[in-house]
Amino acid sequence: MPYRQFEEYNIQVTDEVKSKFKAIISDLGEDVNREGILKTPERAAKAMQFLTQGYDQDAAAILKGAMFAESYDDMVIVKNIELYSLCEHHMLPFFGKAHIAYIPNGHIVGLSKLPRIVDVFARRLQVQERLTHDILECINNTLKPQGVAVVIEASHMCMMMRGVQKQNSTTTTSGFRGQFEKIETRTEFLRLISADLSN
């Protein structure tokens, strides 16, 4: 049986965005009736809905759906979480990795939920600074841990493809709450996300 991909999109939104993309492509000087471009407005409309699906998702509800009572009270780290987002200034991609840690306070959360909430906030028009803050505050306010830390390292196509055109630049943002505001806890976290534990 051949591979089939099933995706659902709001037909009205798809049609409206499609017509706008068609106009933009035409205004830029391309022939919208050319074979290779003919279906591009619709594909672009669907792609944008996929890349901004986070507006329709509730990160706090995702966390609440997988919280478990547990007495463990040491640091939990999920690092190297891939993220892909769109810069709200130029609507060009930025991408990289998020590192998240928390210290439980009576409850832990299913580990897969931390990457899920990264995706929820990344799948919106974003700036890296707010993305870091959104993830941090969602975990802090929902899980209510003893502490939470988030570090994001990303490359921005708006700097690499246009503007200053610095292909090797990366941006790092961080946020800390609770126990991670203490230098010794923060230092341990930063050491662990930098370490190659496979050796």
Side-chain angles (χ1 to χ4, degrees):
M1 181 177 176
Y3 168 77
R4 296 180 65 189
Q5 183 175 0
F6 295 94
E7 295 179 334
E8 291 185 8
Y9 297 98
N10 182 306
I11 295 174
Q12 181 180 352
V13 172
T14 300
D15 286 343
E16 290 177 359
V17 177
K18 171 185 170 182
S19 67
K20 293 176 174 65
F21 268 117
K22 186 174 182 179
I24 290 169
I25 292 169
S26 178
D27 288 345
L28 291 174
E30 182 57 83
D31 177 6
V32 294
N33 295 311
R34 186 165 63 80
E35 182 182 14
I37 298 293
L38 202 56
K39 293 186 178 180
T40 296
E42 181 177 352
R43 293 189 190 104
K46 290 179 177 179
M48 288 303 297
Q49 287 179 79
F50 178 84
L51 295 173
T52 58
Q53 63 185 286
Y55 289 120
D56 297 321
Q57 298 172 340
D58 186 337
I62 290 171
L63 285 182
K64 289 176 182 176
M67 287 174 58
F68 309 100
E70 186 60 57
S71 61
Y72 184 87
D73 61 359
D74 289 309
M75 194 182 303
V76 177
I77 300 176
V78 180
K79 69 178 188 176
N80 297 325
I81 302 167
E82 293 181 13
L83 70 86
Y84 303 91
S85 191
L86 289 176
C87 161
E88 67 180 35
H89 298 143
H90 301 98
M91 294 179 68
L92 288 173
F94 67 92
F95 55 93
K97 295 179 179 179
H99 313 287
I100 300 174
Y102 73 97
I103 300 174
N105 188 23
H107 288 86
I108 60 171
V109 67
L111 294 178
S112 68
K113 303 309 175 189
L114 297 178
R116 284 280 308 280
I117 67 165
V118 170
D119 283 346
V120 168
F121 291 116
R123 297 301 190 189
R124 302 176 183 187
L125 300 181
Q126 277 286 11
V127 294
Q128 185 174 329
E129 296 88 342
R130 185 171 65 246
L131 176 59
T132 305
H133 179 268
D134 286 346
I135 296 166
L136 181 78
E137 292 303 326
C138 179
I139 297 169
N140 195 50
N141 295 335
T142 306
L143 194 56
K144 302 189 185 307
Q146 297 181 57
V148 59
V150 176
V151 169
I152 293 178
E153 305 167 283
S155 297
H156 293 249
M157 297 305 286
C158 59
M159 289 181 64
M160 298 166 71
M161 290 180 67
R162 58 163 302 283
V164 294
Q165 299 181 61
K166 300 302 180 187
Q167 283 76 25
N168 297 313
S169 64
T170 58
T171 301
T172 302
T173 50
S174 62
F176 305 96
R177 294 289 183 272
Q179 292 294 320
F180 288 95
E181 295 177 86
K182 296 180 179 179
I183 188 65
E184 60 271 20
T185 310
R186 184 184 310 184
T187 299
E188 180 185 359
F189 164 67
L190 295 174
R191 178 182 62 80
L192 288 170
I193 66 172
S194 301
D196 182 359
L197 301 180
S198 63
N199 294 329

